[in-house]
Amino acid sequence: MTEPMPAGPLPSISDPDFTAQTVMDGRSLRVGMRGTADLNTQKALEVFLANVHACAIVRGATTVVMDMRDLEFMNSSCLKRMVNWIFVARAEPTESRYQIVLVPQPKALWQKRSLQALSLMAPELVSVTS
Amino acid sequence: MQSTGISGSKIGGAEQGLELALTVSPRTVSTVRRFFEDFVAEAAEGLGADPGLSARVALTVHELLENVALYGEHHHGTLSLSATSVGPRRLTITVTNTTTPEHIERLKQAFREGADGEIDAMTRYLALMCREVRQDESGLGLARIRAEAEMSLSLSIDRDQVRVSATSKPFGQAAGASRGANQ
């Protein structure tokens, strides 16, 4: 039997224009994004999302809540990283699969369509709160 | 960002436009995006536009300007915003820069893919989101402008110079049309 991976520190990003922090809340992994995710942060975001996935699996999270209320903007390259993460999550066996909840900022009008598009990548897995 | 020239006038005025010649790094694209978003938000009410127009312009400016930062020669290009002065009001954002033959080919390919009228913009965008791509690029920017910002796109090429224009759906009526209608 495979030994569980050590839990390790919770993933984060700290960039002058973009930060992402993670906290465990019961069986939910809560991710807060702030600032602008663009060319400057796309590689860091890719690593971050891989770590979020690993963290969710190791800690047995049933939900990952992605709070985007402080996210000013996300470019298409970073959206593509989000899609890749959703596909990785979807590929997990049913028993370890977690739900993804996207929390939008209603005043950020770009988020309405972008997050809708993300949710359509895996409707059975991804939801957007109203 | 080293701005080498700015010209223009209030949108809705006689000259109907704003143009910036600039050298832009990835770090400063957001500064320009915010400027255009604020500029259009200020003008939106006078233009008879919906409040979402500034967000659509901001998204378009960001995606187009990142191409200049990544592929433009010396990261330099010209970014303009113009409004039609007659008839149904539209905004057009145009980015002009010189670039490599390889990038010109990629642009041509993206426009060929986007020109298929059989598939609507959102369906194509969702399909591209699912596509495997090279790690450093998403290939999504232009499709996102069509689908999310609801802009139509055009491309013109003159040797190593490319010009990409994004035009909004019509909203309101320009002053010229109103005068014409009253005559």
Side-chain angles (χ1 to χ4, degrees), chain B residues 21-64:
Chain B
L22 43 84
T23 301
V24 63
S25 73
R27 190 63 75 177
T28 52
V29 168
S30 284
T31 305
V32 182
R33 183 195 72 240
R34 290 185 198 108
F35 171 76
F36 273 80
E37 183 165 22
D38 291 346
F39 185 81
V40 174
E42 283 285 325
E45 191 176 345
L47 290 168
D50 68 279
L53 180 65
S54 59
R56 296 195 293 276
V57 167
L59 186 154
T60 303
V61 165
H62 192 107
E63 297 291 352
L64 292 182

Side-chain angles (χ1 to χ4, degrees), chain B residues 123-169:
Chain B
T123 302
R124 180 179 308 283
Y125 176 50
L126 295 175
L128 287 175
M129 283 181 123
C130 299
R131 184 173 69 171
E132 289 285 332
V133 291
R134 274 173 38 184
Q135 201 162 8
D136 288 343
E137 56 186 48
S138 70
L140 277 180
L142 296 176
R144 187 185 192 199
I145 291 169
R146 284 192 177 100
E148 291 193 24
E150 299 180 324
M151 301 260 179
S152 60
L153 290 171
S154 66
L155 169 70
S156 65
I157 299 167
D158 182 9
R159 286 169 293 192
D160 62 347
Q161 180 172 279
V162 294
R163 175 181 297 226
V164 178
S165 293
T167 301
S168 72
K169 286 181 173 178

Side-chain angles (χ1 to χ4, degrees), chain A residues 15-18 36-43 46 72-81 83-84 87 108-110 113-118 120-121, chain B residues 26-30 33-34 51-52 55 58-59 62-63 66 69-70 122 125-126 128-133 135-138 140-141 144 147-150:
Chain A
D15 179 89
D17 298 320
F18 177 73
T36 295
D38 61 7
L39 288 176
N40 306 295
T41 48
Q42 62 190 34
K43 288 202 164 57
E46 185 175 322
E72 182 185 344
F73 188 76
M74 179 175 277
N75 75 349
S76 55
S77 300
C78 290
L79 277 177
K80 180 63 181 167
R81 266 70 179 179
V83 172
N84 292 344
F87 287 170
L109 298 177
W110 66 270
R113 286 199 160 209
S114 294
L115 301 195
Q116 180 196 25
L118 286 178
L120 290 172
M121 294 296 101
Chain B
R27 190 63 75 177
T28 52
V29 168
S30 284
R33 183 195 72 240
R34 290 185 198 108
L59 186 154
H62 192 107
E63 297 291 352
E66 280 196 345
L70 283 174
M122 183 56 78
Y125 176 50
L126 295 175
L128 287 175
M129 283 181 123
C130 299
R131 184 173 69 171
E132 289 285 332
V133 291
Q135 201 162 8
D136 288 343
E137 56 186 48
S138 70
L140 277 180
R144 187 185 192 199
E148 291 193 24
E150 299 180 324

Side-chain angles (χ1 to χ4, degrees), chain A:
Chain A
M1 191 175 125
T2 307
E3 287 295 315
M5 292 168 59
L10 292 167
S12 65
I13 299 178
S14 183
D15 179 89
D17 298 320
F18 177 73
T19 60
Q21 305 291 334
T22 313
V23 294
M24 201 69 201
D25 179 12
R27 295 198 69 187
S28 287
L29 189 61
R30 302 187 68 87
V31 180
M33 290 183 171
R34 176 184 292 269
T36 295
D38 61 7
L39 288 176
N40 306 295
T41 48
Q42 62 190 34
K43 288 202 164 57
L45 182 66
E46 185 175 322
V47 173
F48 173 78
L49 292 171
N51 289 335
V52 164
H53 175 73
C55 186
I57 296 300
V58 167
R59 293 172 186 257
T62 55
T63 309
V64 173
V65 179
M66 193 68 78
D67 187 342
M68 297 176 158
R69 286 175 295 177
D70 291 323
L71 184 65
E72 182 185 344
F73 188 76
M74 179 175 277
N75 75 349
S76 55
S77 300
C78 290
L79 277 177
K80 180 63 181 167
R81 266 70 179 179
M82 294 285 290
V83 172
N84 292 344
W85 166 55
I86 289 167
F87 287 170
V88 168
R90 190 177 61 179
E92 279 294 318
T94 311
E95 60 272 19
S96 56
R97 196 177 296 162
Y98 52 85
Q99 294 291 307
I100 296 171
V101 179
L102 306 175
V103 182
Q105 168 53 261
K107 290 178 182 172
L109 298 177
W110 66 270
Q111 287 192 7
K112 186 174 180 184
R113 286 199 160 209
S114 294
L115 301 195
Q116 180 196 25
L118 286 178
S119 70
L120 290 172
M121 294 296 101
E124 75 284 8
L125 204 71
V126 184
S127 59
V128 183
T129 62
S130 53

